[in-house]
Amino acid sequence: MELSVLDRALLTLVRSGLWECEVDNPGALSLSTGQWAEVFARAKSQTVTGLVWQALDLLDDDLLMPAGPLLGKLAVQVDGLERQSEAMQKEVRSIFLQMEAEGLHPVLQKGLAVASLYERPKLRTCGDIDIYLPKEELRKAAPRGAEKSSDGGVLFQRNGIDVELHSQLLDIDDPGKRKAIAALIDSEGFVKERDWTTTSALVTLLLLDAHILKHAMGWGIGLRQLCDYARARKVLKYDESAFQAACEQLGIAKWTEVLDAFCESCLYMEGRRYEMNPLVEELLEKVLRGGNFGNDFRQSVNPVETAMALGRGWSFSRKVAPKEALWHFVSLVKGRLKK
């Protein structure tokens, strides 16, 4: 696909911030003040403002000059990201202390757990706190008045921060994969860190992989989530053959090839095993069109519109993970109807 001037500039900046390197295409940043404003707005929409801010540190003054009047506003946003990160870390510590004192076994997912993979973790936007608990423990941990989510979890607020408790660790809806998922969790287990427990390297990678697929099949997926996966691929220590075998076992091997090809072609992740292809271009269009998890164009999440969104994405979904696409459609619509 032919990238617009603004999309090309955004991707150039994101790659620089993502890998902490000089921009690879300075010509893409010959922008007017108005164009810089649009790029910063798109970065906020895609929740990659922190990465763009990191890239600006490495830019020549001549390129950055037209953006000068906008940098103060951007600095305020970045300061907000750092404050939010600190507040969420404090809240997660408090939640884990409370839950563990009650004999529960919480596991931190995504969010702060993934932020640690970045050079500057506090600049990674964290929307909410995601915690996995075994199903029998989730019922005990859920506070009174918590709202049910479509995947069997619960949602609530704590000190102004959104918290979601999940009883499903991997976003795989094919019922035929449940035993394989349970075996993976049993064999890989979790990692106890100083302040909380999180998933092992292999499970973290699978979690990110499947989560991106889930959103790409429906409302859309944001650029930050692709950056999370690319960072995980680079930073985590895991057995590549075990990861590939797990993807085959879970029915997402073809999808993972597309995801890796995207990260290599668009984010310049190391590897270069794959080239840009029509499925990567389709995924790129979803990412640039959808914003963070598709929130820019999503009007509601009622069952009918959920089904319509999944139907629009069916052509792509059936090419990359046909069985999972079918079961995800069934699972998500049933979940919406139960709410």
Side-chain angles (χ1 to χ4, degrees):
M1 63 179 287
E2 185 67 28
L3 292 175
S4 71
V5 170
L6 299 178
D7 289 334
R8 190 176 299 109
L10 177 61
L11 287 171
T12 298
L13 291 166
V14 165
R15 288 192 295 264
S16 174
L18 184 62
W19 307 121
E20 288 276 314
C21 62
E22 294 185 0
V23 295
D24 51 71
N25 184 13
L29 302 179
S30 297
L31 305 172
S32 67
T33 300
Q35 288 173 323
W36 273 110
E38 285 293 326
V39 169
F40 291 163
R42 293 191 183 201
K44 184 177 181 181
S45 167
Q46 294 279 354
T47 60
V48 291
T49 296
L51 290 178
V52 168
W53 182 257
Q54 287 176 254
L56 299 183
D57 283 345
L58 302 170
L59 274 189
D60 291 339
D61 291 343
D62 289 345
L63 283 175
L64 193 55
M65 195 63 67
L70 308 169
L71 295 183
K73 183 178 179 180
L74 193 65
V76 172
Q77 292 179 29
V78 170
D79 181 69
L81 291 179
E82 294 177 325
R83 291 175 184 271
Q84 181 190 38
S85 176
E86 290 168 0
M88 292 187 77
Q89 287 184 44
K90 181 179 178 181
E91 202 60 50
V92 170
R93 293 188 193 102
S94 176
I95 291 172
F96 270 69
L97 283 172
Q98 178 183 328
M99 287 186 175
E100 289 172 350
E102 295 172 354
L104 305 179
H105 302 84
V107 179
L108 185 65
Q109 297 178 277
K110 298 170 284 188
L112 289 176
V114 176
S116 65
L117 303 175
Y118 287 81
E119 297 290 339
R120 296 172 65 179
K122 289 183 181 180
L123 294 187
R124 192 267 187 192
T125 304
C126 295
D128 54 14
I129 296 172
D130 289 280
I131 293 174
Y132 164 78
L133 285 162
K135 189 171 294 185
E136 63 277 7
E137 293 189 9
L138 185 143
R139 286 191 289 268
K140 182 179 178 182
R144 183 177 300 175
E147 178 186 353
K148 291 183 179 179
S149 62
S150 60
D151 65 355
V154 295
L155 304 164
F156 60 95
Q157 274 206 340
R158 179 173 163 137
N159 294 326
I161 297 175
D162 292 329
V163 180
E164 185 165 3
L165 306 182
H166 305 269
S167 60
Q168 181 177 331
L169 189 63
L170 296 181
D171 284 323
I172 298 292
D173 292 309
D174 184 347
K177 308 302 182 185
R178 289 172 186 163
K179 288 185 178 179
I181 292 172
L184 270 171
I185 294 171
D186 287 342
S187 64
E188 291 298 321
F190 306 108
V191 179
K192 178 65 176 177
E193 298 185 352
R194 188 181 66 178
D195 296 314
W196 48 64
T197 299
T198 187
T199 49
S200 66
L202 179 60
V203 175
T204 295
L205 201 55
L206 291 169
L207 188 155
L208 294 172
D209 188 332
H211 192 62
I212 295 170
L213 171 61
K214 173 181 176 179
H215 286 276
M217 289 193 294
W219 292 107
I221 187 68
L223 188 56
R224 187 195 70 201
Q225 287 71 33
L226 280 298
C227 291
D228 287 347
Y229 177 82
R231 287 295 304 184
R233 275 296 227 171
K234 176 180 175 64
V235 175
L236 293 177
K237 307 299 181 185
Y238 60 94
D239 185 323
E240 176 67 23
S241 62
F243 173 63
Q244 297 296 337
C247 290
E248 289 282 357
Q249 196 174 27
L250 298 178
I252 58 172
K254 174 63 176 178
W255 155 250
T256 303
E257 287 186 7
V258 174
L259 181 55
D260 282 342
F262 177 98
C263 291
E264 292 175 7
S265 301
C266 303
L267 299 180
Y268 296 1
M269 181 178 77
E270 292 178 357
R272 311 305 296 172
R273 294 173 298 170
Y274 304 104
E275 299 296 332
M276 181 73 82
N277 61 59
L279 287 175
V280 173
E281 291 190 0
E282 194 168 344
L283 178 57
L284 177 59
E285 183 178 4
K286 284 176 175 285
V287 170
L288 296 177
R289 173 175 58 92
N292 182 43
F293 281 164
N295 289 337
D296 283 2
F297 66 87
R298 176 163 51 181
Q299 297 296 315
S300 70
V301 289
N302 68 53
V304 174
E305 292 198 13
T306 296
M308 290 174 63
L310 290 169
R312 288 192 296 271
W314 178 252
S315 175
F316 175 78
S317 304
R318 69 181 179 83
K319 295 172 187 173
V320 297
K323 284 191 67 177
E324 182 57 25
L326 174 63
W327 285 109
H328 177 59
F329 179 88
V330 173
S331 175
L332 192 54
V333 173
K334 283 174 63 179
R336 294 293 183 202
L337 290 171
K338 288 179 181 178
K339 291 184 69 176

